[in-house]
Amino acid sequence: MTSSSNPIEHSFELAAARCQDLTPHVYRRLFREYPETQATFRSEGSEPVQGSMLSLTIEAIRDLAGERRGRFRLIECEVSSHDAYGTPRELFVAFFAVIATTLREILAEQWSEEIDAAWHNLLSDSEAIVLQQQHLVGETP
């Protein structure tokens, strides 16, 4: 397996070598840190939805951290659709941080300063996208 020079991509590669499926880890952390989110998912049968949601988010993250070919625009679309579900925008932004924290926990000693700096930049970029969406629809942050 060739290692990516992009620290975000590399963090996902390292995690994949240690963990077959991030989904249960990410959602366990999300539900622990934000218990109100658990009510937004059915009690049974929500695993495929969670897996799909995480997969799309990871695609958007990888594009945002990389070549920005357009998949990161999914973030803008999902902000609007999650507004319709009544999801607070702060919670939408927090999901990205939950993914980063989960990766950091899984990677342990493999989490480097370079990966940490890249994730801090990405979290800032994703928050800016969400705030820009607020401005576009005339809301106050």
Side-chain angles (χ1 to χ4, degrees):
M1 176 161 122
T2 307
S3 180
S4 174
S5 62
N6 179 308
I8 299 291
E9 183 74 34
H10 188 58
S11 69
F12 283 113
E13 290 171 352
L14 291 170
R18 289 180 170 224
C19 173
Q20 188 173 18
D21 184 4
L22 284 176
T23 307
H25 300 280
V26 168
Y27 282 91
R28 233 186 337 266
R29 178 175 299 282
L30 179 69
F31 297 154
R32 185 174 64 241
E33 292 181 13
Y34 302 93
E36 67 276 19
T37 61
Q38 201 157 7
T40 62
F41 294 94
R42 294 185 309 228
S43 58
E44 290 185 36
S46 65
E47 292 84 10
V49 172
Q50 292 171 0
S52 175
M53 195 166 114
L54 181 60
S55 178
L56 290 171
T57 304
I58 290 171
E59 252 184 73
I61 286 171
R62 291 173 58 199
D63 189 48
L64 183 61
E67 296 180 5
R68 294 193 179 193
R69 293 182 179 222
R71 289 189 176 142
F72 75 95
R73 297 259 181 239
L74 177 69
I75 297 167
E76 296 168 348
C77 298
E78 289 301 319
V79 166
S80 296
S81 71
H82 281 72
D83 282 348
Y85 297 133
T87 303
R89 290 190 176 192
E90 300 78 27
L91 191 54
F92 188 88
V93 171
F95 188 61
F96 292 90
V98 165
I99 293 169
T101 305
T102 302
L103 287 171
R104 183 181 193 138
E105 182 179 87
I106 290 169
L107 296 185
E109 73 284 345
Q110 288 184 300
W111 184 269
S112 67
E113 288 181 25
E114 182 183 21
I115 290 171
D116 193 61
W119 270 101
H120 279 290
N121 288 337
L122 184 122
L123 293 173
S124 180
D125 288 351
S126 62
E127 184 172 15
I129 290 170
V130 172
L131 292 177
Q132 179 183 10
Q133 286 298 103
Q134 285 179 325
H135 177 71
L136 291 174
V137 295
E139 296 178 13
T140 54

